Amino acid sequence: MEGSLNGGEADARLPGGRGVLEGAFALLDSLERVREAGLTRLADDSGLPKATAYRLLEQLTVLGAAEKVGARYRIGPRMRRLGHTWRPDPVLEQAVRAPMRNFVRTTGAAVWLCLLSAGQTIAVGGAPGRVPYFSPPHPGAVVGWPTAVAKVLAVCSREASGLALESPRWRRDAASIREAGIAFDREENTPGVSCVATPVLDRGGTLIAAICSPVEAVRPLADLAQNLVRTSKAVTAALH
């Protein structure tokens, strides 16, 4: 038997040797990436047999972790509530508050705070600017590749990241990001949107997060980048 998500049966093994909880989280990760999809797409994306994916998705739906609309699934209300309550380290959260407010006051642009977790770029906070479209997503939301902030985290983190593609172009980009401490995304992820990002380091020089500012693609990025670097340094100085 495959087991269920309840009690001690959560340690049962699925076909291929994966645990039930591992399979369930693989499906939730897929739902986070694709937003809404049918069974076949989710099974393929998560690497689970179709029958296994169906049973797990139905159980996740009963628990409120997934939601079924016709023949398609999406993240359920229970996971949304949990995501909205998640917060980063309170020391970091306190340290970024004033520098981010100053950045918005100076530039009018939004600023996001992101971390790298299990190879994924996760939004954890930020401050909205004058354009609501660029406001930070809810804490826990996955930020896609190849956004500027994902590039910075992939280059500067010691954590192994599936985002860092081994190609000649990426190696050149990575070297440039390391040297400048800044990454750019000029409509690479979303048409009409550009972004600049820089790492946030602790006082010992170790990466702890990254900040980015998404703006309209027509906006020049040089001044924005300089302001973002100053903001990052102010965050480092505020850490204790």
Side-chain angles (χ1 to χ4, degrees), residues 37-179:
L39 173 61
T40 300
R41 169 73 186 278
L42 292 170
D44 290 343
D45 192 71
S46 63
L48 293 169
K50 193 170 180 179
T52 300
Y54 173 76
R55 282 189 281 273
L56 290 177
L57 284 166
E58 289 298 306
Q59 292 174 34
L60 289 169
T61 299
V62 170
L63 294 171
E67 188 173 50
K68 193 173 184 180
V69 183
R72 298 171 70 83
Y73 297 88
R74 61 190 181 196
I75 291 290
R78 193 172 188 179
M79 293 303 295
R80 293 194 186 98
R81 288 196 300 271
L82 290 171
H84 280 287
T85 60
W86 186 84
R87 289 294 182 270
D89 180 345
V91 173
L92 175 61
E93 195 171 29
Q94 176 64 30
V96 301
R97 196 166 294 150
M100 282 189 170
R101 281 200 301 264
N102 290 336
F103 176 85
V104 174
R105 194 159 44 242
T106 302
T107 67
V111 59
W112 301 7
L113 175 70
C114 298
L115 305 175
L116 187 65
S117 176
Q120 291 187 312
T121 301
I122 308 296
V124 295
R130 297 193 188 114
V131 181
Y133 178 78
F134 300 112
S135 294
H138 67 81
V142 176
V143 181
W145 179 270
T147 51
V149 68
K151 292 178 183 180
V152 160
L153 289 170
V155 168
C156 299
S157 177
R158 295 174 183 173
E159 178 183 339
S161 172
L163 299 177
L165 308 179
E166 288 300 325
S167 69
R169 178 181 175 181
W170 167 244
R171 285 193 291 271
R172 288 194 299 272
D173 288 348
S176 176
I177 292 168
R178 287 190 190 96
E179 181 178 354

